[in-house]
Amino acid sequence: LASDPAILAKAGKQLGLDPEVVPEAVLRSTVVTRGESITRNYRPEEADNVRDASAKALYGRCFTYIVQKYNELLGPKEKKLQSGEKTIGILDIFGFECFEMNSLEQFLINLANEQLQFFFNNHIFKMELTEYEREGIDGSKVQFQDNQGLLDMILGKPIGVLSYCDEEALFPK
């Protein structure tokens, strides 16, 4: 789970928890039935699963917090968009989706689809247009949307959305 107990203590401190309860939470399960507490130790693979699930939940909450702050700073003050205002749409396999609340998992699925779309655009459209040019064919009417800017906004370093999540996870306030 952790090679050094100081790692668990540090994680607990960063989360505002009593460092003594962190090992208890990730190494043991306590169930209260009819007023009686039953505690059992997790097997190593179960403890690993608890650790991984906790890390995923923390990263997901960090993501939600950062997106909420982006929305507060950059988004419209009212829920309804006014004429001419813009939004950022992220493509998923079935087209564009608009959720009130999007999870980190859905965001990452959509990001993977955007990367596939970028790959497709580069290999099909850009290569074909290069071929057209070589053959003297007018390809000026062939248009496609280049999503490199969106990928840079999400994946860019040091100022992409995921970089901010990583930074917040490493150095919480």
Side-chain angles (χ1 to χ4, degrees):
L1 183 67
S3 58
D4 183 356
I7 293 172
L8 286 175
K10 184 177 180 182
K13 184 178 179 192
Q14 287 181 337
L15 294 170
L17 302 172
D18 177 357
E20 301 297 319
V21 301
V22 176
E24 183 71 27
V26 294
L27 298 175
R28 293 173 194 75
S29 170
T30 301
V31 178
V32 178
T33 306
R34 296 184 191 140
E36 183 180 343
S37 293
I38 301 170
T39 301
R40 76 169 185 86
N41 292 332
Y42 288 127
R43 294 188 311 269
E45 62 273 6
E46 290 174 319
D48 287 347
N49 289 339
V50 169
R51 176 203 58 211
D52 295 347
S54 298
K56 180 181 171 193
L58 288 169
Y59 202 87
R61 287 188 179 200
C62 181
F63 168 79
T64 301
Y65 172 80
I66 289 172
V67 169
Q68 180 182 6
K69 291 299 175 191
Y70 273 133
N71 288 337
E72 288 173 9
L73 293 171
L74 304 174
K77 300 303 174 206
E78 299 174 18
K79 286 260 185 191
K80 279 189 148 183
L81 292 176
Q82 303 299 317
S83 177
E85 288 185 323
K86 301 192 186 269
T87 62
I88 298 172
I90 298 179
L91 184 67
D92 80 352
I93 197 163
F94 297 111
F96 288 93
E97 293 182 321
C98 202
F99 295 119
E100 277 295 312
M101 180 71 173
N102 213 339
S103 68
L104 176 63
E105 292 84 358
Q106 184 63 46
F107 175 76
L108 294 175
I109 290 167
N110 291 352
L111 173 60
N113 289 327
E114 284 290 338
Q115 290 175 301
L116 289 171
Q117 184 68 40
F118 178 79
F119 178 81
F120 178 83
N121 286 349
N122 276 319
H123 279 72
I124 301 300
F125 291 117
K126 288 183 180 177
M127 285 174 47
E128 282 298 316
L129 289 173
T130 302
E131 187 67 28
Y132 281 12
E133 192 175 311
R134 250 189 307 228
E135 294 177 7
I137 300 171
D138 179 22
S140 63
K141 293 189 180 184
V142 177
Q143 295 180 352
F144 65 94
Q145 180 135 4
D146 187 355
N147 62 350
Q148 181 66 57
L150 176 68
L151 293 174
D152 291 345
M153 181 183 72
I154 296 169
L155 298 170
K157 293 186 181 203
I159 59 168
V161 173
L162 293 181
S163 291
Y164 280 131
C165 286
D166 286 341
E167 183 179 321
E168 193 64 27
L170 292 172
F171 306 106
K173 292 177 184 166

